[in-house]
Amino acid sequence: MQKPSNAPGTRDFGPAVMRKRDFILTTITRIYKKFGFESLETPALENLDTLEGKYGEEGSKLLYKIRSNSPISAEITDDQAAKLNGIIPGKWIAGTSKLGLRYDLTVPFARFVVQHRNDLTFPFRRYQVQNVWRADRPAKGRFREFTQCDADCIGSTSLLHEADLIQIYNEVFVSLGLSKAVLKVNHRKFLEALVDELQLNFPVAKFTSTLDKLDKIGEEGVMKELVGYGIDEEKCHQLFAIIGNSELTKENLLQFAKAFNNNPIAQKAIEDLSEILAYIEDCNLTIKVELDLSLARGLDYYTGCIFEALIPDSGMGSVSGGGRYDDLTGVFGLKDVSGVGISFGIDRLYEIMEGQQKWPDNLQVNDSVLICHFDKATQLYGVKLASKLRTENIKTIVFPDDKRINKQFDFANKIGVRFAIVIGESEMNTDSVTIKNLQAGEQVTLSFDEAINYLRN
Amino acid sequence: MQKPSNAPGTRDFGPAVMRKRDFILTTITRIYKKFGFESLETPALENLDTLEGKYGEEGSKLLYKIRSNSPISAEITDDQAAKLNGIIPGKWIAGTSKLGLRYDLTVPFARFVVQHRNDLTFPFRRYQVQNVWRADRPAKGRFREFTQCDADCIGSTSLLHEADLIQIYNEVFVSLGLSKAVLKVNHRKFLEALVDELQLNFPVAKFTSTLDKLDKIGEEGVMKELVGYGIDEEKCHQLFAIIGNSELTKENLLQFAKAFNNNPIAQKAIEDLSEILAYIEDCNLTIKVELDLSLARGLDYYTGCIFEALIPDSGMGSVSGGGRYDDLTGVFGLKDVSGVGISFGIDRLYEIMEGQQKWPDNLQVNDSVLICHFDKATQLYGVKLASKLRTENIKTIVFPDDKRINKQFDFANKIGVRFAIVIGESEMNTDSVTIKNLQAGEQVTLSFDEAINYLRN
């Protein structure tokens, strides 16, 4: 007999977890929609061509490939077969790989935009909530199948989009009860300017990927790596003097301009961020928005503003990231289309909220009402009552089996229902309803209309 | 340059389609929830063991398998290599299959129930809306990736669940505007009784699968097939005399009992259906519920009531099916757990509603408001206004770029927005809002509070 189990790195989400995950996802998508983003879904299966070569060497290893089968010649000798590492002649073996599983939502989005470019109106803003798959080694917090939740606006260089995304960050975190969240902002031009101003004579991408490790290996580690690449220590000290972080304000931007000696590349970053600040000035943001010049973001397609959000003291890394890219669609043949987007990590948000127990009360319980009864006649009466309650949008279960009332209450408690309605002969005869509050242990007998109101509040 | 395309048999769903698909899915899940069903999600990736041998010979061919890679020996000669059908020695080739893609929602549900049986409270009712994958030959209306939308209740033999599911059918079709829907009901015991009463001396499963073709090949075709199996024509005529269909009522059930000569196997079906009728008697069903003794449903795990729903004159087959099963979890080691469930085919419902244009009006338009402006100052004012509108839950986009007002209206029309707000200097100075109804071509100037009300209605 098979002992059933999940495939490694994958999970089932039962009702109690789904209520909470749904709360996170509907909160985020509700806010995306308020900013005019509309839903897009792309298939999990993509032509392998679409995915290959898009995620670097590391990503290429983690891509799930699906192969179409073909028969292997049966004429091979045993000796030859031995060299085939266990493949048995005459059996079907995997042929060429043709399909791959979605690895992120960005590449399929780029494919969609190029493929449908004649039908889309630009700027095009979409959100997308779908699973992605990575053949990674499973570990605590690292899964092979997980959910991404992206929003992008493509086809416009307007910095209003960056301002929209910052407002979205604010509203999402406030709505999730995570108002201590910090949004870190940086601009790729600042990173270029560091290389330029300090005359590092060093590829920006390599510099960025080293700087990206600051969280993990600290200033000392980054310095050691840079010195190893031939950058002198003095310049590293200059670097760290510049890349401190501070609140994103006009005044602090001017400070940075000075620190950069008004370097013209840095100036572009300062202009962009000033314009974004003007857009969000009157929007009453409550989360902390920080300018962090050490923020690098590994992905090399970012070209402008970059974002990273985290919840301090949560013991977790970033819960969201994003930025502006100038050429996401070039690889599919559509050049020079600028866009900007962000992505939330649902699993980390879930873990943080679970750790802090920040969930709204109503997610902790099953919000159905259970109708309990004593015999067939009262059950039938209960079915009629249930039909009426559902018309009033009250979720209702009639206890299905013929069991003692205490067993029915046990069931109610186990599935986490707050209210049980008890139908006895007297309730049937007087057209009334007895409602038992299972948490408080109290009960009241009400008319049908009163019961509706009681259950609604 | 790659010309991007979808993998064969897969589809992108852009915003206009997603609005409609979401309408169908949220309608169905809202109703599932009203009947106390809670959400479950299982991973797309399952251990191949879990899936293999569960879907018959046909299903086994259509299962997507994902293989883990292993290197092939580089020592093979060119001659040997030629026999390997193009596999190049020294390269990585597919090793053993370990994973498969979800083929339906039923087997993963059974796996979940067995795996978590000690944490679940029975009867356990769950709904599940997820994609499934089948390596079928793509054709019109046949996809390799599509969405299923299931509800099951497991761990109870109570026929109240059948009654709940019939009510769900009614409410779903009424809510979708498909109140002409017909729900066909049958009972597997009737099919057994036919074999028994007519002394067909024939395996029930084989009889059922022949009868299942009635829609496709007609009475004549079924008769030909049965005669081919050695059943005499006279018995076939008796069969067709019995298996007519009629409304599911107490009176008609008695008629059937007579036609079956009160056969004891048929009697069990009649008792079950009578009990279900008693449950739904006062529930004011408006769709047609038909007892159709020719309804067979191919899947051989059904043991009791079976359901199939269709929309007459839609040119489509069934849009939903389901039934009771007595041993879904046995294969995973949990015997004798009875359950009952249904599944809606979202693609067919979509096609039917698209054909009949049965969509609610608000799905035909983009319900965001677009704020248009004349220069940077009016745009900045627009951003402030947008922030206020969003606080009032009005979806709002500020036109991001610096373009002429007519281009902005063009954009509004193209993305299907109904209302544009125009901010000029006079609006800024008088704290007012000009709203242009793009469909009617009219415009009004209102105060902010008036505008909120106007946009809400």
Side-chain angles (χ1 to χ4, degrees):
Chain A
M1 185 53 61
Q2 288 178 22
K3 203 188 160 207
S5 64
N6 287 101
T10 71
R11 297 160 290 168
D12 295 321
F13 299 121
V17 177
M18 281 303 294
R19 285 202 286 268
K20 295 172 181 176
R21 282 177 65 90
D22 273 346
F23 171 71
I24 296 175
L25 289 172
T26 53
T27 299
I28 297 173
T29 54
R30 177 174 53 77
I31 294 163
Y32 282 163
K33 284 181 201 164
K34 269 215 261 185
F35 283 80
F37 289 81
E38 291 199 281
S39 181
L40 169 71
E41 282 186 10
T42 63
L45 294 179
E46 291 277 357
N47 289 316
L48 198 56
D49 282 355
T50 299
L51 304 178
E52 267 189 335
K54 309 299 189 299
Y55 301 109
E57 206 184 317
E58 181 65 11
S60 165
K61 277 188 223 149
L62 303 184
L63 207 56
Y64 274 110
K65 295 171 192 169
I66 297 168
R67 292 153 190 270
S68 54
N69 295 343
S70 63
I72 193 165
S73 167
E75 292 161 36
I76 284 180
T77 65
D78 285 353
D79 194 44
Q80 290 165 340
K83 295 196 174 146
L84 300 180
N85 304 339
I87 302 276
I88 300 156
K91 292 265 169 174
W92 287 64
I93 61 152
T96 38
S97 294
K98 294 262 179 64
L99 299 171
L101 281 181
R102 188 169 51 220
Y103 181 88
D104 72 356
L105 304 179
T106 307
V107 168
F109 171 58
R111 193 236 344 116
F112 173 86
V113 166
V114 177
Q115 191 176 321
H116 301 271
R117 62 184 183 258
N118 296 326
D119 307 319
L120 295 177
T121 304
F122 294 97
F124 174 64
R125 52 182 82 198
R126 79 88 174 81
Y127 72 84
Q128 194 169 350
V129 181
Q130 294 194 278
N131 282 0
V132 299
W133 292 269
R134 296 183 186 176
D136 215 340
R137 192 183 297 272
K140 188 175 180 313
R142 196 199 297 140
F143 304 102
R144 288 182 168 169
E145 177 169 351
F146 57 97
T147 308
Q148 290 192 337
C149 184
D150 287 21
D152 287 82
C153 186
I154 196 164
S156 162
T157 54
S158 167
L159 294 161
L160 177 57
H161 297 113
E162 276 83 343
D164 276 357
L165 293 173
I166 292 172
Q167 290 176 72
I168 285 173
Y169 272 122
N170 186 70
E171 195 166 342
V172 164
F173 288 123
V174 170
S175 301
L176 292 179
L178 299 170
S179 40
K180 274 197 218 157
V182 174
L183 175 62
K184 290 173 179 249
V185 179
N186 196 6
H187 197 296
R188 274 287 164 104
K189 290 281 173 207
F190 274 140
L191 299 167
E192 279 180 44
L194 284 170
V195 171
D196 181 65
E197 188 60 23
L198 299 176
Q199 295 175 300
L200 296 185
N201 193 18
F202 200 67
V204 177
K206 207 168 167 187
F207 173 68
T208 306
S209 82
T210 298
L211 200 57
D212 203 31
K213 298 178 195 164
L214 190 61
D215 271 1
K216 283 177 202 150
I217 61 178
E219 269 191 30
E220 218 168 317
V222 168
M223 195 141 134
K224 205 169 152 190
E225 202 169 312
L226 290 174
V227 169
Y229 289 141
I231 295 174
D232 68 50
E233 264 193 51
E234 173 54 26
K235 283 192 175 169
C236 288
H237 285 298
Q238 282 178 37
L239 167 71
F240 287 114
I242 296 178
I243 64 170
N245 60 18
S246 60
E247 204 186 334
L248 179 61
T249 61
K250 277 184 209 167
E251 296 70 33
N252 290 336
L253 278 175
L254 289 176
Q255 288 296 326
F256 277 111
K258 261 188 227 162
F260 272 104
N261 272 322
N262 294 313
N263 178 296
I265 304 175
Q267 209 50 45
K268 165 67 178 148
I270 288 169
E271 279 166 24
D272 278 5
L273 290 168
S274 301
E275 190 173 341
I276 293 168
L277 270 177
Y279 279 127
I280 58 177
E281 203 168 22
D282 293 313
C283 294
N284 302 316
L285 302 188
T286 55
I287 63 165
K288 202 168 162 189
V289 182
E290 216 171 74
L291 179 60
D292 183 346
L293 261 67
S294 74
L295 175 66
R297 306 267 328 138
L299 296 167
D300 57 7
Y301 54 70
Y302 290 126
T303 50
C305 257
I306 46 182
F307 303 111
E308 197 164 280
L310 49 86
I311 315 296
D313 307 322
S314 65
M316 290 272 180
S318 70
V319 294
S320 178
R324 178 166 290 275
Y325 40 81
D326 279 343
D327 189 26
L328 202 62
T329 56
V331 68
F332 295 117
L334 189 62
K335 290 274 177 210
D336 300 323
V337 183
S338 188
V340 59
I342 58 174
S343 179
F344 283 95
I346 300 310
D347 290 299
R348 286 190 174 177
L349 283 173
Y350 179 90
E351 286 306 323
I352 290 170
M353 293 182 66
E354 189 67 10
Q356 305 185 350
Q357 285 299 313
K358 285 265 181 188
W359 307 106
D361 279 349
N362 64 333
L363 298 183
Q364 307 282 9
V365 295
N366 182 327
D367 59 350
S368 289
V369 171
L370 182 76
I371 297 184
C372 305
H373 44 80
F374 294 91
D375 52 20
K376 196 81 190 177
T378 47
Q379 191 198 33
L380 278 170
Y381 184 88
V383 169
K384 206 158 53 168
L385 180 65
S387 175
K388 284 186 199 164
L389 288 173
R390 291 182 192 123
T391 308
E392 302 289 335
N393 278 317
I394 292 170
K395 298 176 191 165
T396 312
I397 303 170
V398 181
F399 191 81
D401 299 304
D402 178 23
K403 292 209 171 146
R404 281 162 181 253
I405 194 85
N406 280 339
K407 291 272 177 200
Q408 299 183 40
F409 291 152
D410 279 356
F411 175 80
N413 283 319
K414 277 189 190 154
I415 67 170
V417 153
R418 201 193 305 229
F419 296 108
I421 290 179
V422 184
I423 309 283
E425 227 174 301
S426 73
E427 282 84 0
M428 255 169 63
N429 293 337
T430 58
D431 244 340
S432 61
V433 172
T434 297
I435 302 176
K436 194 177 164 80
N437 182 329
L438 291 158
Q439 287 171 334
E442 302 159 352
Q443 66 179 50
V444 284
T445 300
L446 301 170
S447 74
F448 179 74
D449 288 339
E450 288 165 343
I452 301 274
N453 279 326
Y454 181 90
L455 292 171
R456 279 220 181 105
N457 301 324
Chain B
M1 186 53 60
Q2 288 180 21
K3 203 187 159 208
S5 64
N6 288 101
T10 71
R11 298 159 289 168
D12 295 320
F13 299 121
V17 177
M18 280 304 294
R19 285 202 287 267
K20 295 172 179 175
R21 282 178 64 91
D22 273 345
F23 171 71
I24 296 175
L25 289 172
T26 54
T27 299
I28 296 173
T29 54
R30 177 174 51 79
I31 294 163
Y32 282 163
K33 283 181 201 164
K34 269 214 264 185
F35 284 79
F37 289 82
E38 291 198 282
S39 182
L40 170 71
E41 283 186 9
T42 63
L45 294 180
E46 290 277 359
N47 288 318
L48 198 57
D49 282 354
T50 300
L51 305 176
E52 266 189 335
K54 309 299 189 299
Y55 302 108
E57 206 183 320
E58 181 66 10
S60 163
K61 278 188 224 149
L62 303 185
L63 207 55
Y64 274 111
K65 294 169 193 170
I66 296 169
R67 292 154 191 268
S68 53
N69 294 342
S70 63
I72 193 164
S73 166
E75 293 161 36
I76 284 178
T77 65
D78 285 355
D79 194 43
Q80 290 164 340
K83 295 201 174 141
L84 300 180
N85 305 337
I87 303 275
I88 300 157
K91 293 265 169 172
W92 287 63
I93 63 151
T96 38
S97 295
K98 294 261 179 66
L99 299 171
L101 281 180
R102 188 168 53 220
Y103 182 87
D104 72 355
L105 304 180
T106 308
V107 168
F109 172 58
R111 196 241 333 122
F112 173 86
V113 167
V114 177
Q115 191 175 322
H116 302 269
R117 61 182 181 262
N118 296 326
D119 308 318
L120 295 176
T121 304
F122 295 98
F124 174 64
R125 50 183 83 200
R126 78 87 173 83
Y127 72 83
Q128 194 169 351
V129 181
Q130 295 193 276
N131 281 2
V132 299
W133 292 269
R134 296 183 186 178
D136 215 340
R137 193 182 296 271
K140 189 178 180 311
R142 196 198 298 140
F143 304 102
R144 289 182 167 170
E145 176 169 352
F146 56 97
T147 308
Q148 289 193 338
C149 183
D150 287 20
D152 286 83
C153 186
I154 195 162
S156 162
T157 55
S158 167
L159 294 160
L160 177 57
H161 297 113
E162 276 83 344
D164 275 358
L165 294 173
I166 293 172
Q167 291 176 71
I168 286 173
Y169 272 123
N170 186 72
E171 194 166 343
V172 164
F173 289 124
V174 170
S175 300
L176 292 179
L178 299 170
S179 40
K180 274 197 220 159
V182 175
L183 175 63
K184 289 173 179 248
V185 179
N186 196 8
H187 197 294
R188 274 285 164 104
K189 291 282 173 207
F190 274 140
L191 298 168
E192 279 180 43
L194 282 170
V195 172
D196 181 65
E197 188 59 24
L198 299 177
Q199 295 173 300
L200 295 185
N201 193 18
F202 200 69
V204 177
K206 207 167 168 187
F207 172 70
T208 305
S209 83
T210 299
L211 200 58
D212 203 34
K213 299 178 194 162
L214 191 62
D215 271 0
K216 283 179 200 149
I217 61 178
E219 270 192 29
E220 219 168 316
V222 168
M223 194 143 134
K224 208 169 151 189
E225 202 168 312
L226 289 174
V227 169
Y229 290 140
I231 295 172
D232 69 49
E233 264 193 51
E234 173 53 26
K235 284 193 175 167
C236 287
H237 286 298
Q238 283 177 38
L239 168 71
F240 288 115
I242 297 179
I243 64 169
N245 60 19
S246 60
E247 205 185 333
L248 179 62
T249 61
K250 277 184 211 170
E251 297 70 33
N252 289 336
L253 278 175
L254 290 176
Q255 289 296 324
F256 278 111
K258 260 189 230 162
F260 272 105
N261 275 321
N262 295 314
N263 177 296
I265 304 175
Q267 209 51 42
K268 165 68 178 149
I270 288 169
E271 279 165 24
D272 278 5
L273 290 168
S274 302
E275 190 173 342
I276 294 168
L277 270 176
Y279 279 127
I280 58 177
E281 205 168 21
D282 293 314
C283 295
N284 302 314
L285 301 187
T286 55
I287 63 164
K288 203 167 162 188
V289 181
E290 217 171 74
L291 180 60
D292 183 345
L293 261 68
S294 74
L295 175 65
R297 306 266 329 138
L299 297 167
D300 56 8
Y301 53 72
Y302 290 127
T303 50
C305 259
I306 46 181
F307 303 111
E308 196 164 281
L310 49 87
I311 314 297
D313 307 323
S314 65
M316 290 274 179
S318 70
V319 294
S320 178
R324 177 166 291 274
Y325 41 82
D326 279 344
D327 188 27
L328 202 63
T329 56
V331 68
F332 295 115
L334 188 63
K335 291 274 176 210
D336 301 323
V337 183
S338 188
V340 57
I342 59 174
S343 179
F344 283 95
I346 300 308
D347 291 300
R348 283 190 175 177
L349 284 173
Y350 180 91
E351 286 306 323
I352 290 169
M353 293 182 66
E354 189 67 11
Q356 304 184 353
Q357 285 299 312
K358 285 266 181 187
W359 307 106
D361 279 348
N362 64 333
L363 298 184
Q364 306 282 10
V365 295
N366 181 326
D367 58 351
S368 289
V369 171
L370 182 76
I371 297 185
C372 306
H373 43 81
F374 294 92
D375 51 22
K376 195 79 191 177
T378 47
Q379 192 198 32
L380 278 170
Y381 185 88
V383 169
K384 205 159 53 168
L385 181 65
S387 175
K388 285 187 197 163
L389 289 172
R390 291 182 192 122
T391 307
E392 302 289 334
N393 278 316
I394 293 169
K395 297 176 192 165
T396 312
I397 304 170
V398 180
F399 191 81
D401 299 303
D402 177 24
K403 291 209 171 144
R404 281 163 181 252
I405 193 86
N406 280 338
K407 291 273 177 199
Q408 299 183 40
F409 291 153
D410 279 356
F411 175 80
N413 283 320
K414 277 187 189 155
I415 67 170
V417 153
R418 201 193 304 230
F419 295 109
I421 290 180
V422 185
I423 309 284
E425 224 173 305
S426 73
E427 283 84 1
M428 256 170 60
N429 292 336
T430 58
D431 244 339
S432 61
V433 173
T434 297
I435 303 176
K436 193 176 164 84
N437 182 327
L438 292 157
Q439 287 171 336
E442 300 158 355
Q443 66 180 48
V444 284
T445 299
L446 302 170
S447 75
F448 179 73
D449 288 339
E450 289 166 343
I452 301 274
N453 280 325
Y454 182 91
L455 293 171
R456 278 219 182 106
N457 301 324

